Amino acid sequence: MRVFIVALLATLALAQALVKEEIQAKEYLENLNKELAKRTNVQTEASWAYASNLNDENEKKKNEISAELAQFKKEVLSDNQKFQWHNYQSDDIKRQFKRLSEMGNAALSEVEYADFLETKSAMESNFAKVNICNYKENAKCDLELEPEIEEIIGKSRDHEELKYYWREFYDKAGTAVRSNFERYVELNTKAAKLNNFTSGAELWLDKYEDDTFEQQLDNIFAEIRPLYEQIHGYVRYRLRKYYGNEVVSENGPIPMHLLGNMWAQQWSEIADIVSPFPEKPLVDVTEEMEKQGYTPIRMFQMADDFFTSMNLTKLTQDFWDKSIIEKPTDGRDLICHASAWNFYLKDDVRIKQCTRVTQNQLFTVHHEVGHIQYFLQYQHLPFVYRTGGNPGFHEAVGDVLSLSVSTPKHLERIGLLSNYVRDDEARINQLFLTALEKIVFLPFAFTMDKYRWALFRGEVEKANWNCEFWKLREQYSGIEPPVVRSEKDFDPPAKYHVSADVEYLRYLVAIIIQFQFYKSACIKAGQYDANNAELPLDNCDIYGSAAAGEAFHNMLSMGASKPWPDALEAFNGERIMSGKAIAEYFEPLRVWLEAENIKNSVHIGWTASDKCVAF
Ligand SMILES: *[C@@H]1O[C@H](CO)[C@@H](O)[C@H](O)[C@H]1NC(C)=O
Ligand SMILES: *[C@@H]1O[C@H](CO)[C@@H](O)[C@H](O)[C@H]1NC(C)=O
Ligand SMILES: *[C@@H]1O[C@H](CO)[C@@H](O)[C@H](O)[C@H]1NC(C)=O
Ligand SMILES: *[C@@H]1O[C@H](CO)[C@@H](O)[C@H](O)[C@H]1NC(C)=O
Ligand SMILES: [Zn+2]
């Protein structure tokens, strides 16, 4: 009995000590969050200086500061381990500790981390500095990806010219950095293990806080595959008519250089030659934007206006003062790939984008401003929570508005579209165009990470790294390179995010959930009713809806303070990711394509590609 009481008292004392410790831990976290915000701000300034002005001095400075921050994070980890946080009462404190103990690549030794940073910036700057000679004028050798090469790939219908640019770009942006990429994979794996993950794949997937996430995606993907195959078959059939049987086969993968995009990730640039009803209009307001004298700044003002019309936060003075929204003309190299930046102080948020006046860029502007809105909505939270519910959420916000902006209803509202008759045929054209952007993107995005997961997990022999990439691209997207590639080539880093070590699953998740958000927002705005043909989902404009805005506010202002299903629930009451909204949106198109493909005896699916050989 006595022994029991002593034990009980000791337990009570321990419990009391733990309660006391938890109170101290709270204060510790408050200070730590502030310190991390301050240090991350300094690091972000250095990254910004480099990304907007690529030179050795800025690269060195950036890498030095990143190394310092990594060192600090190591100290934080060892401080954190002094707290018995696993046993605390508060879920919030436990969550903060857990997230603050994630180190990513900073877990590497000082020397190896420096190596990691150098390897990565070597790939990034190689990518940014690719120059290609003009196909038609060999002496002119200053063509850059943005804007010249992207424009040619989108607009040229000369398949030899397209092949030339494809090969030049992949050789220079991909093959040139094969050894860097091998080192990158090694260090990535080492870092993941230091973080107690089996591989870099598990480290990336951990951000989704759900062990079944990979499986969920496989399931959604299987649901969407039939629609994809219909689109794929139809596009191949139309390209065959356009380019002839010599260039496009009846049953094989589509040669990717014909698809209007260097990575064949979106095919909307070739809508003019494959759209279902060529004689009916395709919404393209680029010309009208030019005619009305649109400028990059005006495009950003419009995105700002859209958010504020929904009673959301307006862009800050710092944003206007510090952003780069046009390609600088002073000759410096910079990373033109559009991006949104949080500087972790109050209101200091920026975008860097070499904006051009086109319809697609107008959507990109909304996408980037969506990131900024998220930054501003969660800036009151502790540093550790100032990120998206999951990485896909962050990418989805602006896209929901872009879906709305791209509707004839909205384009008419803002005076960019007139005399447009939205009959059944025009509607199918429009849905098809959207599918070329969004549905086509899904298998592409999936393979970007499926490929890297496989490498990180050590599932692919180094001698097969290039052909494994093309095998996945063929299996999922039904496309192939225009020329035979081999293991002497190395093509994956020719995609920016592979060179720059950016996880890609976020973009796939973003597409799926943006339709979930969009559908709910449209219902809240009174703009969609499944039983009312006057209010279809694909012509829903949420501009001016404070009710839709409130749903956004509820979700965005949570940042990452709760697992993402909670954030989704705050938006629309759902807790799981689902392909239902996307299917609903495209249903009229699916029905049409199925009938049309049968009518034209179009082959569905594709044979294996022979465009990568080991040698
Ligand atoms: C680019 O960086 C260099 C070296 O740090 C600096 O001298 C130059 O002023 C920068 N240019 C711009 C436009 O910021
Ligand atoms: C440009 O160079 C390529 C390869 O070096 C060659 O095949 C092509 O004919 C040249 N074009 C012109 C216009 O000189
Ligand atoms: C990984 O696990 C080891 C052993 O359990 C532990 O000492 C170490 O702190 C852990 N590392 C991280 C980053 O959690
Ligand atoms: C706008 O948002 C504010 C703050 O989130 C809220 O208090 C207000 O009720 C909203 N206005 C409308 C019209 O919904
Ligand atoms: Zn983005």
Side-chain angles (χ1 to χ4, degrees), residues 378-396:
Y378 59 52
Q379 66 172 347
H380 64 287
L381 293 175
F383 171 82
V384 64
Y385 291 154
R386 286 186 223 163
T387 179
N390 73 36
F393 278 46
H394 228 296
E395 298 301 333

Side-chain angles (χ1 to χ4, degrees), residues 580-600:
K580 207 170 155 286
I582 209 168
E584 205 165 317
Y585 187 95
F586 288 104
E587 182 59 12
L589 177 66
R590 192 194 60 77
V591 170
W592 184 86
L593 277 175
E594 251 181 48
E596 189 68 13
N597 282 335
I598 288 170
K599 198 173 86 192
N600 297 315

Side-chain angles (χ1 to χ4, degrees), residues 173-200:
T175 306
V177 296
R178 179 160 191 156
S179 63
N180 301 98
F181 195 78
E182 287 176 2
R183 183 70 182 138
Y184 158 78
V185 172
E186 258 170 54
L187 291 169
N188 172 293
T189 305
K190 213 161 193 175
K193 296 206 161 132
L194 286 167
N195 283 286
N196 294 336
F197 290 105
T198 346
S199 82

Side-chain angles (χ1 to χ4, degrees), residues 177-319:
V177 296
R178 179 160 191 156
S179 63
N180 301 98
F181 195 78
E182 287 176 2
R183 183 70 182 138
Y184 158 78
V185 172
E186 258 170 54
L187 291 169
N188 172 293
T189 305
K190 213 161 193 175
K193 296 206 161 132
L194 286 167
N195 283 286
N196 294 336
F197 290 105
T198 346
S199 82
E202 285 66 38
L203 190 149
W204 277 359
L205 280 161
D206 186 58
K207 293 272 179 288
Y208 297 90
E209 299 188 80
D210 185 341
D211 292 340
T212 65
F213 206 71
E214 216 175 330
Q215 186 58 51
Q216 284 181 38
L217 283 169
D218 277 327
N219 296 346
I220 291 175
F221 208 79
E223 277 168 36
I224 293 168
R225 175 96 173 184
L227 172 61
Y228 181 75
E229 287 181 349
Q230 293 295 329
I231 296 165
H232 176 276
Y234 184 76
V235 167
R236 183 180 48 198
Y237 159 75
R238 293 291 303 275
L239 283 176
R240 197 170 147 79
K241 280 190 157 178
Y242 188 88
Y243 285 106
N245 303 347
E246 308 299 302
V247 183
V248 184
S249 72
E250 190 175 1
N251 301 336
I254 304 176
M256 67 190 286
H257 62 310
L258 307 178
L259 291 164
N261 177 283
M262 187 61 88
W263 310 275
Q265 66 182 56
Q266 287 167 318
W267 305 348
S268 40
E269 290 290 327
I270 59 156
D272 59 326
I273 58 172
V274 297
S275 84
F277 299 99
E279 65 290 352
K280 285 286 163 104
L282 262 178
V283 173
D284 181 357
V285 298
T286 299
E287 234 172 78
E288 189 60 29
M289 290 170 73
E290 280 166 9
K291 209 156 91 194
Q292 294 187 21
Y294 266 62
T295 55
I297 197 158
R298 172 141 177 229
M299 290 155 75
F300 280 91
Q301 283 163 345
M302 289 179 71
D304 189 25
D305 173 60
F306 202 129
F307 278 100
T308 51
S309 84
M310 295 169 73
N311 193 27
L312 289 163
T313 306
K314 71 174 199 298
L315 291 171
T316 62
Q317 195 54 48
D318 271 349
F319 173 86

